[in-house]
Amino acid sequence: MAGLLALLATSWLMTGRSAQALGLNAPTSTPSLIGLGVAISTFIALFLSKNKKPKPSQREEIDAVRRDLFPETPNEVKLFLLLSLAVGGGWEILYRGFLLYYLPARIGLLGAIIIAALAYGAAHGFKTPKQFVGSVVSALAFTIAYVATSNLWWLILLHIGVMLFGAIVSKAISGDLEAS
């Protein structure tokens, strides 16, 4: 991802394109401020639900996801924080900002939304068809949200926040799972 972002930044600067064309303008429009409100509301809802205990039938799946995705040691936590910033920002810039700048003139806006969502879902990787569909559906939601607001900042914030919140909840659940 770092290499792709470096190429994108170089190309963007060499052609004189603005950060705004990539969706990195200040969130001052009404739609982008609404998006920022959605991100903040989501964090509040996640925070309020963080103490919810998983159902016994969910414990095995949650523990497998926790082991695969979230940090356990202090060094892993440091790396996870760094990667959350890089991935949350980088993926939004590449899969929303760049693709939605480049593709619509070639295949139309609807085609661009679909291709960006499928590319994002495929890039996430998946172990089951259910995970792939979940990635594509969330990518469609984020991509449509970007088209509606023309602003990536609130989506970057949401992406990073959800990743970090997942790690916090994972740690809390792991303690709960180990105590059971």
Side-chain angles (χ1 to χ4, degrees), residues 13-86:
L13 292 172
M14 289 176 66
T15 56
R17 294 183 188 120
S18 69
Q20 183 173 348
L22 200 55
L24 296 173
N25 49 311
T28 57
S29 69
T30 299
S32 61
L33 290 172
I34 290 170
L36 196 55
V38 166
I40 292 168
S41 299
T42 300
F43 293 140
I44 291 170
L46 287 171
F47 180 77
L48 293 174
S49 69
K50 79 176 174 124
N51 292 325
K52 185 179 175 187
K53 301 287 183 203
K55 296 176 185 175
S57 61
Q58 297 172 310
R59 289 176 179 267
E60 188 175 313
E61 182 179 348
I62 289 170
D63 195 39
V65 168
R66 179 188 58 80
R67 282 191 314 269
D68 286 349
L69 296 178
F70 297 114
E72 295 184 5
T73 68
N75 284 337
E76 288 176 354
V77 169
K78 291 173 190 171
L79 184 58
F80 186 83
L81 291 172
L82 179 65
L83 287 174
S84 294
L85 296 172

Side-chain angles (χ1 to χ4, degrees), residues 90-179:
W91 284 42
E92 292 304 319
I93 290 168
L94 291 172
Y95 289 96
R96 250 72 72 192
F98 175 70
L99 289 180
L100 271 285
Y101 173 84
Y102 180 77
L103 291 176
R106 288 146 183 84
I107 61 173
L109 183 59
L110 181 59
I113 290 170
I114 292 168
I115 294 297
L118 288 172
Y120 182 88
H124 263 81
F126 56 93
K127 291 183 179 178
T128 67
K130 181 180 174 183
Q131 286 177 331
F132 178 70
V133 169
S135 287
V136 171
V137 168
S138 68
L140 276 171
F142 269 57
T143 305
I144 292 167
Y146 172 61
V147 168
T149 64
S150 299
N151 192 279
L152 284 179
W153 286 115
W154 71 278
L155 292 166
I156 290 170
L157 204 83
L158 191 57
H159 202 146
I160 292 168
V162 168
M163 290 173 69
L164 293 176
F165 188 80
I168 292 167
V169 170
S170 167
K171 195 68 174 162
I173 288 174
S174 70
D176 180 53
L177 290 171
E178 291 164 8

